[in-house]
Amino acid sequence: MKELSSLLTYDPNWYHQYQRLDGSDSSKKSLEADALMHALRGYRRNHPGTILDVGTATARYPIIFSNLGWKATGIDASDAAVSIAQKELLRCGLLHRVEISQGDVRDWEHRGEGFDVITCMMGTFTHIPEADRQSALQRLFLNTKKGGILAVSNWNTEWPNPTTLSLYSYKERVQLLKHSPDTQDLSDMITQAGFTDVRVYNVCPFMDAQIDHWLPWDEQSPRLLQQHLFQHDIVLQGQLVLVTGQRNDH
């Protein structure tokens, strides 16, 4: 099976479009971020610390966390992504506070202490070749501080329709899901890498048509509904799954 990197193209135009997503696409990004914050609160790791965002693209998560007082770092294998991320940080006045660099998680080396939180979001993990995924997770484990959290958000292979983001064609969506590990496999890999207390959160348990129906009269509806589900431990399958684990060395 061909690697996903040979089937999809990410150029500057793609990243610019990603920045401007609206409608259900924008909601998915917000719902993912809300789920991450909910997960960190569950581990009591939502206070400011250090965070590494793997496959940072437009630096969305470094910007979110930097604005919350965190020391944020982002890496991306794409030169185009790094360039756009730096421009976005400059626009937000955060270039001096956030470190962004080109790097492939498979051989990236961080000089210094580990991170309190490491994120790999919106299907980025799927782009790591299957043969390298376990070693990549083990590398992230070594770069996580004791008590720190790893969070990986991926497209749900069990969702009824191959729905991802509108940036992708139907054929590309099928390929994304074809290359994505299922929830159990992802959980097992994170456990095998050394993380414990592995948890799964369902993100965006709504069809795109439902979100598009809600947005015109209340753009906060999807976020409020998902928040309600989390608060009451109601489990509904989502378009995305967020799998988290904690480093607890003995």
Side-chain angles (χ1 to χ4, degrees):
M1 184 169 62
K2 290 184 178 180
E3 298 296 349
L4 193 59
S5 59
S6 67
L7 300 171
L8 302 179
T9 301
Y10 295 90
D11 56 21
N13 182 59
W14 190 94
Y15 291 109
H16 284 304
Q17 291 184 61
Y18 180 76
Q19 284 180 304
R20 298 191 295 268
L21 289 175
D22 57 12
S24 60
D25 287 330
S26 180
S27 285
K28 291 173 192 179
K29 292 166 72 174
S30 296
L31 292 168
E32 182 194 56
D34 288 349
L36 174 60
M37 297 305 179
H38 173 80
L40 294 182
R41 287 193 294 271
Y43 287 103
R44 300 183 184 277
R45 298 297 299 187
N46 57 314
H47 53 278
T50 56
I51 180 171
L52 168 68
D53 186 39
V54 176
T56 197
T58 59
R60 181 165 66 100
Y61 278 101
I63 289 171
I64 290 173
F65 278 88
S66 182
N67 282 326
L68 293 173
W70 290 65
K71 182 179 180 181
T73 300
I75 63 169
D76 201 293
S78 166
D79 290 333
V82 170
S83 177
I84 290 173
Q86 290 174 335
K87 291 177 182 177
E88 184 66 8
L89 289 168
L90 179 63
R91 186 186 69 82
C92 296
L94 295 172
L95 190 59
H96 65 293
R97 291 173 50 189
V98 176
E99 179 183 345
I100 298 290
S101 61
Q102 193 276 337
D104 189 318
V105 67
R106 292 175 293 176
D107 55 23
W108 180 78
E109 292 188 10
H110 174 64
R111 296 179 180 178
E113 296 183 356
F115 297 89
D116 295 302
V117 173
I118 296 180
T119 55
C120 185
M121 308 298 281
M122 197 60 74
T124 295
F125 187 75
T126 295
H127 295 79
I128 301 173
E130 187 172 352
D132 298 329
R133 290 174 181 173
Q134 191 62 60
S135 61
L137 287 171
Q138 289 167 342
R139 181 177 290 273
L140 293 180
F141 176 83
L142 294 175
N143 282 283
T144 305
K145 290 181 180 179
K146 183 177 180 180
I149 306 299
L150 171 71
V152 180
S153 170
N154 228 47
W155 298 105
N156 184 5
T157 59
E158 298 179 2
W159 187 254
N161 299 303
T163 304
T164 53
L165 295 173
S166 63
L167 286 173
Y168 298 108
S169 66
Y170 179 83
K171 183 178 179 180
E172 289 173 331
R173 295 176 191 180
V174 171
Q175 289 297 331
L176 278 168
L177 293 176
K178 183 178 180 180
H179 284 75
S180 296
D182 63 30
T183 304
Q184 188 60 57
D185 284 344
L186 180 56
S187 298
D188 289 345
M189 283 189 285
I190 289 175
T191 300
Q192 290 168 16
F195 293 96
T196 58
D197 196 7
V198 175
R199 308 178 187 183
V200 175
Y201 302 87
N202 290 282
V203 182
C204 189
F206 318 113
M207 302 294 288
D208 285 3
Q210 290 177 300
I211 298 174
D212 290 335
H213 174 74
W214 292 325
L215 292 181
W217 57 272
D218 187 355
E219 63 181 15
Q220 293 299 315
S221 290
R223 300 180 71 179
L224 293 173
L225 287 168
Q226 179 175 274
Q227 184 181 60
H228 176 82
L229 296 176
F230 284 148
Q231 290 176 342
H232 295 276
D233 295 322
I234 301 172
V235 178
L236 294 177
Q237 191 178 63
Q239 291 193 36
L240 286 152
V241 290
L242 175 67
V243 184
T244 60
Q246 187 170 34
R247 177 171 180 173
N248 289 308
D249 297 347
H250 298 293

